[in-house]
Amino acid sequence: MVLVALHGGAAVITEVESRSRVLGRLRLTDAVFRNLTRAAALAVLAILGGVIVALAIGAWPTLQTFGLNFLVEERWNPVTERFGAIAPIYGTIVTSFIAMFIAVPVGLMIAMFLTELCPIKLRRPIGIAIELLAGIPSIIYGIWGLFVFAPFLQQHVQPALISAFGEIPILSTLFAGPPYGIGILTAGLILAIMVLPFITSISRDVFEAVPPMLKESAYGLGCTTWEVVRHVVLPYARVGVLGGIMLGLGRALGETMAVTFVIGNAHRISGSLLAPGTTISATIANEFTEAVGDLYTSSLIALGLILFVITFIVLAIARYMLMRIERRIG
Amino acid sequence: MIPKSGHRFSETDHAREKRMDRLYAARRRRNLITMMLSVAATLFGLGWLVLILGALLYEGFSGLSLKVFTEMTPPPGADGGLLNPIIGSLLLTGLAVLIGTPLGILAGTYMAEYGRHDRLASVVRFVNDILLSAPSIVVGLFIYEILVAPMGHFSGWAGAVALAVIVVPVVVRTTEDMLMLVPDTLREAAASIGLPRALMITRIAYRAAKAGMITGVLLAIARISGETAPLLFTALNNQFGSFNLNAPMASLPVVIFQFSLSPYADWQRLAWTGALIITFTVLALSIGARALAASGKQS
């Protein structure tokens, strides 16, 4: 009896001991896992910080040599080592503007079609098909743009543009010159196709989030579909649509390969949209591996820094707007 | 007087009716026009997909043969295939996923499980969303600065790390989203039987969110298998069948870039074939990811 009790006690004690050991181990793995995930989250921040610091260090010699003049100088001459960023900045902004000019109305129209007109059965397949455009790698747009799209523009579209706008004052400068096929306009058009799916899918999502009650009330008053979209859906979804547009703009500004193929890589600012030009990303892609000399390399990295800062601001605004609409939807 | 005014009234009524009819007609016309425009816009958008895929099939399909997968890239004018860039791409992509996925899953776990309401998580979420759409060429420059320049040469490792930097935000985003969809009752049930949090996450939350997390990895693979810009000055290219990660390494996108811009017809044909392979791989991956996500939602 006593013996049994003693034995029982020992068993309890060892059980308590092993129990506390197991619990201790669990507590340790718990803490390790928690800190591991926390470190990974911090690593995401470190990547962003690392990008900014690395680019700033790489760009430092250029900023030291040219100062802010780098931003407004047009010359880009590796032989005399005079570098200025205005031509690529101009090309980046103009090509992105052309892209948005086309992709925003078309994207909104598609979103309207998908949410208001399209038979429900077709909504998913058409939506996915449009989103697949975003899945096609940018180099594919490049090779297609160079071999298929640019020759087509050169033979059929650009001559028509030149003769159609030849007499109209401002437009004649915009569409002046020989039809090269490649150039600012071609790059802008390809960018438009590439950002279209981003604008479409975000607009569709925010259109779908408009409370049906609001839309039905407007329909009940006798509004046409267009009036419902124009006066109910768009005002309600405004912030989200703007967020989607900014997101698309961020993509267009940073897009590299597709543009590199069709922009023509010419470091000058031309009044004509048909002329070859360059963008920040295309300049880096074309010249970085061939850059000799520290100043040349550093100037290209400085271009990268400018691109990163511009896209960072645009994307931050986009995220801020999308966060606002998400909060409202709940 | 009275009949006259009555007559006048009925006339204005009539005019008003006509005016309203015109207004209705105009509104309906405007509606019809915008609706037609929206159908046209959709056809326009779908048209590009058809045009691009059509051109790829037309230009690339004729070059597709067994040789493409068994022979190395040729010098200009000779016959050859795309074996070394295909293997290079597989190696780089595989390594990038191996490096990027654990980091992304852990960071996503922190945001969804531990830091739901803390400041760090919301800052990381914001930064991650920006990294998600940051220009990939900038990632290439970054890796060049921190790996290629100090090592003194281009290398497969640098290419893999550059791609991993692109994988991380995609995986973080999907992991967080998918873990958020796991019902809290599951977590509470696990806690109520005394399961420590780490075990609850790895044994229960991960299992519940598995399909979604795999979708994220597939999407990340789809994203990086066509990436060219970050490889241009990290992995560079290699004409020889070298699979040494310490040396420059060929990859399909970079070879397409180089071959398509070359003046040689056979190189250009190989570039089209490579483009066809990449595009259909990427599209298959993203459709597969969608199907997986859809099946996960249903179950």
Side-chain angles (χ1 to χ4, degrees):
Chain A
M1 192 68 181
V2 173
L3 212 73
V4 171
L6 267 177
H7 265 288
V12 166
I13 287 166
T14 48
E15 203 175 285
V16 165
E17 253 176 23
S18 68
R19 203 180 151 81
S20 77
R21 213 178 307 130
V22 168
L23 282 179
R25 209 166 55 221
L26 285 177
R27 205 170 293 133
L28 184 72
T29 51
D30 222 26
V32 167
F33 189 70
R34 188 196 157 93
N35 285 314
L36 212 59
T37 61
R38 198 183 157 83
L42 288 170
V44 173
L45 295 185
I47 291 175
L48 181 80
V51 170
I52 295 173
V53 170
L55 291 183
I57 291 174
W60 184 242
T62 300
L63 300 177
Q64 233 175 1
T65 319
F66 302 118
L68 285 178
N69 208 21
F70 182 71
L71 290 175
V72 292
E73 167 74 49
E74 192 184 338
R75 260 177 305 178
W76 182 271
N77 192 334
V79 182
T80 57
E81 299 217 309
R82 299 281 310 174
F83 298 105
I86 193 72
I89 292 176
Y90 169 84
T92 303
I93 291 172
V94 172
T95 48
S96 302
F97 180 79
I98 296 172
M100 302 319 284
F101 186 75
I102 296 165
V104 169
V106 174
L108 288 178
M109 280 294 188
I110 298 178
M112 181 171 93
F113 175 79
L114 287 175
T115 51
E116 301 296 326
L117 279 187
C118 188
I120 296 195
K121 265 190 183 163
L122 284 178
R123 277 186 194 177
R124 242 180 85 79
I126 294 183
I128 288 177
I130 297 279
E131 278 166 28
L132 283 185
L133 270 179
I136 297 177
S138 86
I139 188 154
I140 306 302
Y141 283 96
I143 184 171
W144 175 79
L146 181 66
F147 290 110
V148 181
F149 196 48
F152 172 78
L153 287 178
Q154 184 179 24
Q155 281 159 19
H156 303 290
V157 179
Q158 294 184 347
L161 285 175
I162 294 168
S163 60
F165 296 123
E167 308 296 319
I168 309 164
I170 298 166
L171 291 176
S172 69
T173 1
L174 276 184
F175 297 102
Y180 290 104
I182 54 174
I184 301 260
L185 180 68
T186 313
L189 291 177
I190 289 186
L191 284 180
I193 306 170
M194 297 182 73
V195 297
L196 185 63
F198 292 99
I199 296 176
T200 304
S201 71
I202 291 185
S203 308
R204 180 198 55 195
D205 292 349
V206 290
F207 282 7
E208 271 173 358
V210 175
M213 192 81 86
L214 286 181
K215 288 198 289 191
E216 280 158 16
S217 314
Y219 279 122
L221 287 174
C223 287
T224 61
T225 311
W226 165 243
E227 284 162 351
V228 171
V229 172
R230 173 71 190 78
H231 298 292
V232 177
V233 175
L234 271 181
Y236 188 89
R238 195 179 53 226
V239 182
V241 169
L242 278 176
I245 291 173
M246 296 302 267
L247 201 65
L249 179 62
R251 290 276 176 168
L253 289 167
E255 183 43 57
T256 309
M257 296 321 291
V259 174
T260 307
F261 272 87
V262 295
I263 189 100
N265 205 34
H267 276 275
R268 58 190 159 88
I269 297 178
S270 166
S272 171
L273 296 181
L274 303 184
T278 191
T279 68
I280 295 178
S281 49
T283 304
I284 302 171
N286 264 318
E287 302 181 22
F288 196 82
T289 39
E290 285 151 24
V292 268
D294 290 341
L295 199 57
Y296 195 1
T297 310
S298 159
S299 294
L300 288 168
I301 294 175
L303 279 182
L305 181 64
I306 295 171
L307 177 66
F308 192 66
V309 171
I310 298 175
T311 48
F312 186 92
I313 294 169
V314 169
L315 293 172
I317 296 172
R319 282 302 161 194
Y320 175 71
M321 287 175 155
L322 290 174
M323 251 156 63
R324 258 178 59 184
I325 191 126
E326 266 164 32
R327 210 169 297 153
R328 188 162 67 187
I329 293 164
Chain B
M1 192 86 184
I2 291 164
K4 207 181 165 191
S5 82
H7 181 67
R8 237 170 58 197
F9 263 125
S10 72
E11 211 178 37
T12 43
D13 269 358
H14 187 64
R16 209 164 121 214
E17 218 166 80
K18 262 179 99 175
R19 199 165 46 100
M20 290 313 268
D21 276 351
R22 267 207 306 279
L23 187 64
Y24 279 134
R27 284 174 60 200
R28 289 174 68 171
R29 199 162 50 237
R30 193 171 302 148
N31 188 50
L32 190 70
I33 292 172
T34 44
M35 291 309 120
M36 268 156 51
L37 277 177
S38 85
V39 173
T42 309
L43 292 176
F44 176 82
L46 294 175
W48 294 117
L49 187 68
V50 174
L51 278 176
I52 293 173
L53 295 183
L56 273 174
L57 282 173
Y58 179 77
E59 301 274 355
F61 198 73
S62 59
L64 209 58
S65 68
L66 201 60
K67 257 200 283 193
V68 171
F69 302 98
T70 53
E71 287 182 23
M72 302 285 172
T73 47
D79 234 19
L82 293 166
L83 178 66
N84 48 329
I86 288 175
I87 295 182
S89 269
L90 289 176
L91 267 177
L92 291 176
T93 308
L95 268 175
V97 170
L98 280 183
I99 301 169
T101 307
L103 191 62
I105 287 182
L106 286 174
T109 306
Y110 180 80
M111 285 149 70
E113 298 287 343
Y114 290 111
R116 273 197 198 179
H117 303 293
D118 77 6
R119 207 173 176 79
L120 175 65
S122 54
V123 173
V124 171
R125 190 171 303 125
F126 192 74
V127 164
N128 190 66
D129 280 347
I130 285 177
L131 286 177
L132 204 56
S133 359
S136 58
I137 190 146
V138 170
V139 173
L141 285 177
F142 167 55
I143 300 301
Y144 176 87
E145 282 285 292
I146 63 164
L147 281 182
V148 178
M151 282 163 75
H153 59 89
F154 299 102
S155 68
W157 283 115
V161 174
L163 292 180
V165 170
I166 297 170
V167 169
V168 171
V170 182
V171 176
V172 170
R173 184 66 196 263
T174 42
T175 304
E176 193 203 354
D177 287 352
M178 292 306 143
L179 285 177
M180 287 298 218
L181 289 181
V182 175
D184 277 342
T185 43
L186 272 183
R187 296 192 177 88
E188 284 154 13
S192 74
I193 55 165
L195 208 59
R197 213 157 173 189
L199 281 181
M200 180 274 283
I201 294 168
T202 49
R203 298 278 169 82
I204 292 170
Y206 279 174
R207 201 167 287 179
K210 196 168 73 187
M213 286 160 72
I214 295 174
T215 305
V217 177
L218 284 181
L219 286 177
I221 297 175
R223 171 88 197 271
I224 59 171
S225 41
E227 277 290 353
T228 320
L231 295 176
L232 285 176
F233 19 86
T234 50
L236 200 69
N237 197 354
N238 199 330
Q239 258 126 327
F240 312 104
S242 154
F243 304 113
N244 176 2
L245 283 165
N246 248 326
M249 186 177 273
S251 63
L252 213 38
V254 176
V255 166
I256 293 174
F257 180 52
Q258 195 196 342
F259 279 19
S260 59
L261 288 178
S262 78
Y264 312 109
D266 5 308
W267 273 18
Q268 288 179 4
R269 205 163 37 245
L270 269 179
W272 273 110
T273 306
L276 181 73
I277 296 172
I278 286 197
T279 308
F280 281 89
T281 311
V282 169
L283 293 188
L285 277 169
S286 53
I287 292 174
R290 267 165 214 285
L292 191 67
S295 73
K297 239 174 243 163
Q298 267 163 19
S299 73

